């Protein structure tokens, strides 16, 4: 019986060691150079806006993509591009599908006007590393046909030479920014519906083959 207990303990310790090894993280500058593609199963773009100053209304986009051209020798020389389908907006409005609430928000000329402006795009211009784990990314946001600069606050969550499920080099980030929607021409109901929109982004990027 004691022998079985010892074997079981050794098995647990060995397994724990393997798990620790598999999930080991790497410094970002040790990651391979090149193109990284967004893992759409581990990504989100969520935004929130004040409603009458009483609550924050939260919604998301369901259809988007992004990529990173990564330079490990000088991360500031890396670049990011992203595209969002405005017709993919999703809210938590009760019975949104039955009432066409999301569809109106996506297509109405006073809102996302997605039938005319079929994409929202972001192209980075600079990345300023503030620490090993944080940075500021400045880029051009094109929305409703208007292009203006925005600054994203980026957190570098971690990187793996070999992500245990995909087997590929993978990096993970969180980012947020706040835009003034009227600057892009979306001013309907402001300020009752807030002019300031907070955008929250999560994403994992894997090394493209």
């Amino acid at each position: 019986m004691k022998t079985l207990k010892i074997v079981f303990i050794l098995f647990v310790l060995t397994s724990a060691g393997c798990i620790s090894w598999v999930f080991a993280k790497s410094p970002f500058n040790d990651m391979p150079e090149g193109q990284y593609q967004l893992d759409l199963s581990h990504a989100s773009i969520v935004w929130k806006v004040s409603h009458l100053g009483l609550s924050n209304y939260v919604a998301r986009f369901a259809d988007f993509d992004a990529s990173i051209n990564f330079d490990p020798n000088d991360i500031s020389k890396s670049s990011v591009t992203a595209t969002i389908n405005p017709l993919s907006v999703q809210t938590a409005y009760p019975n949104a599908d039955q009432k066409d609430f999301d569809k109106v928000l996506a297509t109405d000329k006073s809102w996302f006007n997605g039938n005319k402006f079929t994409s929202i795009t972001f192209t980075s211009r600079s990345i300023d590393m503030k620490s090993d784990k944080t940075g500021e990314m400045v880029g051009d946001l094109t929305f409703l046909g208007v292009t203006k600069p925005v600054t994203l606050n980026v957190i570098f969550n971690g990187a793996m030479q070999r992500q245990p499920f995909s087997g590929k080099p993978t990096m993970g980030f969180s980012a947020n920014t706040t835009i003034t929607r009227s600057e892009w021409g979306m001013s309907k109901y402001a300020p009752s519906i807030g002019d300031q929109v907070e955008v929250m982004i999560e994403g994992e990027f894997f090394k493209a083959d």
Side-chain angles (χ1 to χ4, degrees):
M1 192 68 177
K2 289 183 178 180
T3 301
L4 288 175
K5 287 182 178 179
I6 292 172
V7 170
F8 177 75
I9 291 170
L10 288 173
F11 173 78
V12 170
L13 290 174
T14 303
S15 298
C18 290
I19 291 171
S20 175
W21 177 81
V22 167
F23 288 93
K25 292 183 178 179
S26 298
F28 281 93
N29 54 10
D30 284 349
M31 297 297 288
E33 182 179 2
Q35 196 78 9
Y36 285 72
Q37 191 64 37
L38 182 65
D39 177 359
L40 295 172
S41 61
H42 298 95
S44 63
I45 299 177
V46 178
W47 50 270
K48 65 180 182 179
V49 61
S50 173
H51 179 257
L52 301 175
L54 300 175
S55 66
N56 288 308
Y57 197 83
V58 179
R60 65 190 293 268
F61 292 106
D63 182 12
F64 55 90
D65 204 358
S67 63
I68 300 173
N69 188 5
F70 183 66
D71 184 346
N73 298 313
D74 187 350
I75 294 178
S76 68
K77 293 181 179 178
S78 302
S79 60
V80 177
T81 59
T83 303
I84 301 169
N85 177 4
L87 295 174
S88 70
V89 63
Q90 294 180 347
T91 69
Y93 193 87
N95 302 313
D97 292 339
Q98 297 176 25
K99 297 180 180 181
D100 286 335
F101 183 80
D102 290 355
K103 182 179 179 181
V104 170
L105 190 61
T107 61
D108 188 279
K109 293 180 180 179
S110 297
W111 295 112
F112 286 98
N113 202 4
N115 288 329
K116 180 177 181 181
F117 301 103
T118 56
S119 65
I120 301 167
T121 63
F122 175 84
T123 303
S124 70
R125 291 193 296 181
S126 66
I127 300 173
D128 182 13
M129 298 298 297
K130 299 299 184 181
S131 71
D132 291 341
K133 293 291 185 179
T134 61
E136 287 185 354
M137 181 187 300
V138 177
D140 292 322
L141 176 66
T142 301
F143 174 39
L144 294 174
V146 178
T147 301
K148 288 183 175 292
V150 297
T151 300
L152 277 71
N153 302 303
V154 182
I155 299 174
F156 299 81
N157 295 323
M160 293 181 174
Q161 294 282 349
R162 184 179 182 276
Q163 201 258 37
F165 302 108
S166 69
K168 298 180 179 182
T170 303
M171 302 181 288
F173 304 90
S174 301
N176 68 81
T177 189
T178 299
I179 67 169
T180 303
R181 62 187 178 97
S182 61
E183 293 183 357
W184 279 264
M186 184 192 285
S187 57
K188 188 172 184 177
Y189 297 147
S192 297
I193 295 179
D195 201 12
Q196 303 291 304
V197 181
E198 184 178 354
V199 183
M200 297 151 286
I201 303 165
E202 298 288 338
E204 294 181 18
F205 292 79
F206 61 87
K207 181 74 166 59
D209 295 331

